Amino acid sequence: NAGVTQTPKFQVLKTGQSMTLQCAQDMNHEYMSWYRQDPGMGLRLIHYSVGAGITDQGEVPNGYNVSRSTTEDFPLRLLSAAPSQTSVYFCASSYMGRVTNTQYFGPGTRLTVL
Amino acid sequence: ILNVEQSPQSLHVQEGDSTNFTCSFPSSNFYALHWYRWETAKSPEALFVMTLNGDEKKKGRISATLNTKEGYSYLYIKGSQPEDSATYLCAQYSGGGADGLTFGKGTHLIIQP
């Protein structure tokens, strides 16, 4: 199993540009989520999904869109990039019953917005 | 939004010494506490998931305890080795309207040879 994969690993954008961060998992996990990690902050939840066709907002959803058309894929879209979105983004997945199921994290995407 | 606190923020420990650090969390409406180990340039990896008051989990030289009544968990490392150098994250299941885990800021552990 490849686990959780993310592309790209690095990206530089200009303010106002849009892009999609890709996330895929091959473990048939129902639950997928996106976090951002900033210096001095913990991992903060952006959006999550409990299954195909179902998404919901986390702690810091503004400026980001998600969709879940398949169990495997959970892309994160930046509609109009801002310097405040410079961060490292992690995708994670787990089985349902997530209270106790551990989350599997992807390798991260380091995004810089100029 | 839950408030998960970890202390200390960073810790330098001599190789061979034992160490411990703390995760504090709201004790009301407790569901589960997760510990993750995060090495530089890698992704976080799960260490433990704890749900019951008094739980104690162990993996090799690393162990953790849980007190849900007072809202804290300790992570212990016995006989620290250089490969233990990492950031250790704890996270509480949020529940409610925002699903997922609320993470603390982590304890950055550096083992000095």
Side-chain angles (χ1 to χ4, degrees):
Chain A
N1 285 350
V4 181
T5 58
Q6 290 183 238
T7 56
K9 287 188 178 179
F10 301 94
Q11 183 70 48
V12 178
L13 291 177
K14 293 181 180 177
T15 297
Q17 286 185 313
S18 63
M19 79 159 294
T20 299
L21 279 62
Q22 301 291 344
C23 174
Q25 52 91 11
D26 61 358
M27 297 173 281
N28 204 30
H29 286 165
E30 303 93 338
Y31 184 80
M32 296 185 74
S33 55
W34 277 100
Y35 293 89
R36 61 177 288 173
Q37 196 271 325
D38 302 296
M41 310 284 287
L43 290 165
R44 292 184 292 169
L45 183 65
I46 304 171
H47 284 284
Y48 66 95
S49 168
V50 298
I54 306 170
T55 64
D56 208 342
Q57 297 180 351
E59 181 186 352
V60 288
N62 292 341
Y64 307 95
N65 272 0
V66 291
S67 60
R68 184 97 178 267
S69 56
T70 66
T71 300
E72 295 78 19
D73 301 299
F74 191 44
L76 178 74
R77 295 184 189 84
L78 280 71
L79 307 171
S80 177
S84 61
Q85 294 178 305
T86 294
S87 188
V88 182
Y89 292 85
F90 287 95
C91 179
S93 72
S94 70
Y95 290 109
M96 287 294 283
R98 54 204 166 275
V99 170
T100 54
N101 282 329
T102 56
Q103 297 210 24
Y104 293 81
F105 285 86
T109 294
R110 186 174 293 273
L111 176 68
T112 302
V113 182
L114 302 175
Chain B
I1 305 298
L2 298 173
N3 189 24
V4 179
E5 303 280 347
Q6 290 188 248
S7 62
Q9 188 174 357
S10 65
L11 190 55
H12 288 72
V13 174
Q14 207 68 30
E15 182 178 353
D17 287 351
S18 296
T19 187
N20 65 85
F21 28 93
T22 307
C23 174
S24 302
F25 52 86
S27 56
S28 59
N29 296 321
F30 177 82
Y31 293 95
L33 189 85
H34 297 228
W35 279 101
Y36 288 82
R37 182 171 177 273
W38 191 3
E39 289 182 72
T40 302
K42 295 187 178 180
S43 49
E45 291 185 343
L47 282 173
F48 306 114
V49 180
M50 309 175 80
T51 56
L52 299 175
N53 185 47
D55 243 359
E56 183 168 344
K57 301 247 175 163
K58 189 174 181 182
K59 184 185 269 189
R61 294 179 291 99
I62 303 176
S63 61
T65 60
L66 179 67
N67 184 322
T68 61
K69 295 185 188 301
E70 296 181 40
Y72 64 83
S73 175
Y74 293 137
L75 190 81
Y76 301 90
I77 302 178
K78 186 177 178 181
S80 304
Q81 299 297 310
E83 58 265 29
D84 295 328
S85 295
T87 296
Y88 292 83
L89 299 171
C90 70
Q92 188 179 10
Y93 172 66
S94 306
D99 215 337
L101 297 172
T102 298
F103 282 85
K105 295 179 183 179
T107 292
H108 184 49
L109 177 65
I110 298 169
I111 307 302
Q112 297 169 323

